[in-house]
Amino acid sequence: MRFEYSSQFYAEVVCDLLVYPIFEEETKDAKTLEALHKSTRGVTKSVLESGEFKTELHRTCLIHKPAGMKASRLLLVGAGKKKEFNLAKLRELAGTAVRSARSVSCKSAAFLRRGSHPLRDAARVVAEGVLYGSYESDLHKTREKEERHLERLFLIAEKPAGAREAAAGLRRGEIVGNATNLARSLADEPSNILTPTQFAERAIAVGKEAGLEVEVLEREDMAKLGMNTLLAVARGSAEPPKLIILRIANQKRRSKSKSPLYAFIGKGVTFDSGGISIKPSEKMEDMKADMAGGAAVLGAMSALAQLEPKHQVIGLIPAVENLPGGRATKPGDVVKSLLGKTVEIINTDAEGRLIMADALAYARTLGATHLVDIATLTGACIIALGSVNAGMMGTDQMLMDMMRRNCSLTGEKLWQLPLDEDYRKAIRSEIADMKNVGNRQAGAITAAKFLQEFTEDTPWVHLDIAGVDLDHDGRPFAAKGATGFGVRTLAQLLL
Ligand code: BES
Ligand code: ZN
Ligand code: ZN
């Protein structure tokens, strides 16, 4: 897909489809639409007056061969209430537009930028939304895929001096949009294909393209280091575990000075059967996406390698498969983590925190000064927040505040949950330093409490994305399946 900027008058742009967003307020006070009505010789006016076209977000109306326009089709898209319009909604709207364009096999489309956001930001989210809307999760369908994807997208803003801003925004949007789709395609991939070994292979391939150095620790390396909570999860599977470490190729090595080093740590369970504490079979297939946090880290790192992050950053993805094999970890087993703390494994289905514990501790040994982890960690988080917000917990309030402020731009919603010391009680063990599960109460928080044990005094933010990693229903702007949640949040944090 090629993105281009145009400051031409929209009626003059030659393309298969011109997309014109319309705000709810404009159905009454149509002054702002006078030029549109004039150039379509009244057709849009009568469409609006008929009430057939609703201006709620994502409603569309397609008009063929609009008189007075060089475009072959005109697509009106509802943009909702103007005062509620933000960059996240603009991104979605661009996704809706591109999916409509594809459904009528358009090769080129022009998107008229409306609203008052800075052109650079608008360009960026439009590119992200267009790429997001273009993704399909039919990775393994064999029938000839129709070549119906869009080839060129013009962003139109009648601002002749805006070319540089727009180009910069489009470039960033293209990089982050592609990185999001990369994360989605990994999470959609079934577990027989995306094993920990394949995950590492893909990371190496992505790294070559994007400019990442990729290091992979093998089982023996991890055993030597003492990553026994991570290895405890891998025991029941024939697939060997991998710890994938990502560094930006030409980012200068951390100097002696106290420059911060951010570490992104993403849960990479390529399949979570629960292990000996096996899960019920209903919807177990969704557990192929239990590596969505790891995929988000790879996506964000690939984007950051192509952009200019403000700080140094590394990525860590502990990748394992959680199965109940003959050598699997059993409830009651005790293991010693890399940090030296011992863990009584009461429930082998609480495996995410076990692999994250060693990965967090290892990130600190690599010199990380700020830890941000992202994991499909608990069903309890889905009960608490549904599939609207991801759960956010941590010890770095400044960083969490910043991440929340970014939500209206990233469109990835985060909601902070408390992390009082009182919650720690739930994971006390009689035999070891802690157990890996609490009781049924506050499951998302007690899981975070467990992780906190391995961050020690390093500022840390934890994102529980269990409810938001998959979209089961599909949206007007996106296919069903993996969402790539976290790529934009993590990338934005460092930009
Ligand atoms: N991967 C799951 C969490 C999950 C559940 C993600 C549903 C997405 C959808 C995690 O490893 C898990 O099984 N957690 C357990 C923890 C429990 C045993 C304390 C859970 O939430 O049930
Ligand atoms: Zn589990
Ligand atoms: Zn899991």
Side-chain angles (χ1 to χ4, degrees):
M1 170 116 46
R2 267 183 30 227
F3 292 96
E4 284 162 62
Y5 173 71
S6 167
S7 60
Q8 263 182 306
F9 179 52
Y10 55 80
E12 297 297 317
V13 177
V14 181
C15 60
D16 297 335
L17 182 83
L18 170 69
V19 182
Y20 196 112
I22 296 192
F23 295 106
E24 245 174 83
E25 290 86 340
E26 291 178 311
T27 41
K28 290 168 212 102
D29 170 25
K31 262 197 216 73
T32 45
L33 297 181
E34 260 163 24
L36 174 69
H37 297 335
K38 205 172 147 205
S39 49
T40 62
R41 305 195 183 130
V43 171
T44 46
K45 188 163 201 255
S46 73
V47 165
L48 280 174
E49 281 171 358
S50 74
E52 284 164 36
F53 167 58
K54 308 270 182 302
T55 48
E56 291 153 30
L57 199 60
H58 305 310
R59 296 295 193 110
T60 57
C61 172
L62 185 66
I63 297 165
H64 270 257
K65 298 197 168 60
M69 287 191 164
K70 296 236 169 102
S72 326
R73 300 170 192 81
L74 171 64
L75 183 75
L76 305 179
V77 192
K81 294 204 169 60
K82 185 148 194 197
K83 54 177 190 298
E84 288 167 13
F85 197 62
N86 62 15
L87 288 163
K89 294 204 168 113
L90 177 56
R91 178 188 291 106
E92 290 186 3
L93 204 121
T96 299
V98 74
R99 291 185 78 75
S100 310
R102 285 160 35 110
S103 69
V104 290
S105 301
C106 292
K107 295 282 174 215
S108 64
F111 188 96
L112 178 70
R113 167 258 192 155
R114 305 200 67 212
S116 50
H117 302 99
L119 180 55
R120 193 189 153 113
D121 291 343
R124 166 192 176 181
V125 301
V126 167
E128 285 176 8
V130 163
L131 288 169
Y132 200 87
S134 303
Y135 175 84
E136 289 297 336
S137 44
D138 57 356
L139 303 176
H140 296 285
K141 283 204 193 284
T142 55
R143 61 156 165 70
E144 200 75 19
K145 278 179 204 160
E146 293 165 70
E147 285 299 312
R148 47 173 208 177
H149 56 257
L150 206 58
E151 286 165 6
R152 285 176 85 180
L153 190 283
F154 299 98
L155 176 72
I156 313 176
E158 288 157 58
K159 192 175 172 192
R164 274 186 59 186
E165 278 170 82
L170 289 173
R171 173 170 180 266
R172 186 187 272 200
E174 192 176 351
I175 290 171
V176 176
N178 282 327
T180 306
N181 286 348
L182 162 70
R184 296 167 81 189
S185 67
L186 292 171
D188 279 331
E189 200 70 277
S191 73
N192 61 323
I193 293 175
L194 198 87
T195 58
T197 304
Q198 260 309 305
F199 199 170
E201 292 298 322
R202 300 265 187 121
I204 291 166
V206 167
K208 268 213 188 89
E209 284 278 311
L212 288 170
E213 283 168 9
V214 182
E215 183 188 353
V216 181
L217 299 192
E218 305 293 335
R219 194 198 300 265
E220 306 74 60
D221 305 319
M222 294 188 264
K224 262 189 220 133
L225 287 161
M227 296 184 173
N228 299 312
T229 55
L230 191 160
L231 294 174
V233 178
R235 287 183 64 92
S237 167
E239 292 295 337
K242 307 278 168 177
L243 179 59
I244 305 165
I245 303 165
L246 310 167
R247 296 181 177 86
I248 295 180
N250 38 29
Q251 204 171 29
K252 56 182 185 307
R253 286 281 161 266
R254 206 163 110 79
S255 55
K256 291 267 177 308
S257 71
K258 287 209 192 79
S259 60
L261 174 64
Y262 285 77
F264 295 157
I265 302 107
K267 171 175 172 182
V269 176
T270 58
F271 191 77
D272 181 12
S273 72
I276 297 297
S277 316
I278 199 160
K279 287 180 181 294
S281 50
E282 169 124 1
K283 283 280 155 202
M284 203 205 267
E285 67 275 19
D286 281 355
M287 286 302 119
K288 71 177 184 178
D290 208 20
M291 35 54 71
V297 166
L298 180 57
M301 289 297 291
S302 80
L304 287 168
Q306 300 166 72
L307 297 164
E308 293 82 39
K310 288 226 170 76
H311 298 291
Q312 295 186 63
V313 57
I314 56 173
L316 290 90
I317 306 168
V320 301
E321 186 176 65
N322 187 22
L323 288 188
R327 299 184 56 79
T329 293
K330 305 165 293 296
D333 288 0
V334 173
V335 290
K336 186 180 217 139
S337 72
L338 174 67
L339 190 64
K341 295 187 180 179
T342 54
V343 178
E344 181 188 12
I345 301 174
I346 298 291
N347 189 319
T348 63
D349 195 12
E351 84 299 339
R353 61 198 79 181
L354 295 173
I355 66 169
M356 296 297 275
D358 275 345
L360 285 162
Y362 190 61
R364 293 180 68 248
T365 71
L366 297 179
T369 59
H370 296 75
L371 302 166
V372 180
D373 83 72
I374 178 163
T376 46
L377 206 62
T378 67
C381 193
I382 313 179
I383 302 300
L385 299 173
S387 53
V388 177
N389 279 279
M392 175 166 68
M393 286 144 274
T395 53
D396 189 337
Q397 192 59 48
M398 276 236 293
L399 205 56
M400 288 192 283
D401 290 344
M402 195 212 281
M403 290 169 78
R404 251 192 76 76
R405 278 198 302 275
N406 286 341
C407 292
S408 65
L409 168 61
T410 63
E412 297 179 333
K413 294 190 186 182
L414 308 171
W415 192 262
Q416 190 176 344
L417 300 174
L419 204 61
D420 310 45
E421 206 37 47
D422 297 346
Y423 291 109
R424 169 70 174 77
K425 285 204 286 293
I427 53 168
R428 274 189 206 149
S429 162
E430 298 301 321
I431 190 171
D433 295 335
M434 69 196 97
K435 53 185 186 178
N436 76 329
V437 291
N439 48 30
R440 289 177 56 87
Q441 296 185 352
I445 300 174
T446 53
K449 259 347 235 182
F450 182 92
L451 296 184
Q452 189 182 356
E453 290 289 320
F454 301 89
T455 65
E456 302 233 277
D457 55 356
T458 306
W460 155 74
V461 178
H462 160 60
L463 302 178
D464 192 334
I465 58 164
V468 293
D469 64 315
L470 295 179
D471 177 355
H472 294 283
D473 309 322
R475 306 287 306 270
F477 55 87
K480 281 182 204 174
T483 62
F485 191 105
V487 173
R488 296 195 298 265
T489 297
L490 294 178
Q492 184 60 26
L493 186 63
L494 268 275
L495 292 167

